[in-house]
Amino acid sequence: MVKSSGEAVPRTPATLSRPVSWFLLAFGVWSWFIWITFVKNLWKDGSGLAFDDSGDPTAYFWVHLLLAITSFLLGTAVGIIGLRGVRALRRRS
C-alpha cells in the first residue's frame, strides 16, 4: 500500500479476534468429524449408490469422495488459521 505522498506504508500482521479464532478452529474440527463420519458411511453403503452390483465404485462414490477430500483440506486450512489466531492471542495476553 502507498500513501498519497508516495511513501510505502509498513505492513502489519493481521490479527483475529478471540471469537473468530475459536470459531475457525471449531469449524476445522467439526469439518473433520462430519466428513470422517460421511466417508465411513459412504464406504459401508449398501443402497447401491456408491457401489454397483459387482462391488465397483460408481460415479456417485467418486464425486462424494472428492467432495470429502476437498472438505478435509479446506477444514484443515481453516482450522490452522484459527489455531494460529488462538496462539497469537495467548502470546499477546
Side-chain angles (χ1 to χ4, degrees), residues 16-28 75-89:
L16 299 172
S17 68
R18 187 175 310 277
V20 169
S21 296
W22 280 107
F23 173 79
L24 294 176
L25 182 58
F27 181 84
T76 300
V78 168
I80 288 171
I81 292 169
L83 181 62
R84 286 182 176 181
V86 168
R87 284 183 176 172
L89 289 168

Side-chain angles (χ1 to χ4, degrees), residues 39-61:
V39 169
K40 285 180 182 178
N41 291 336
L42 182 66
W43 202 264
K44 295 186 294 187
D45 179 55
S47 69
L49 286 173
F51 299 97
D52 59 17
D53 294 333
S54 63
D56 295 326
T58 62
Y60 176 90
F61 174 84

Side-chain angles (χ1 to χ4, degrees), residues 61-84:
F61 174 84
W62 293 114
V63 166
H64 285 81
L65 184 62
L66 181 63
L67 285 171
I69 291 168
T70 302
S71 294
F72 283 138
L73 294 174
L74 291 174
T76 300
V78 168
I80 288 171
I81 292 169
L83 181 62
R84 286 182 176 181

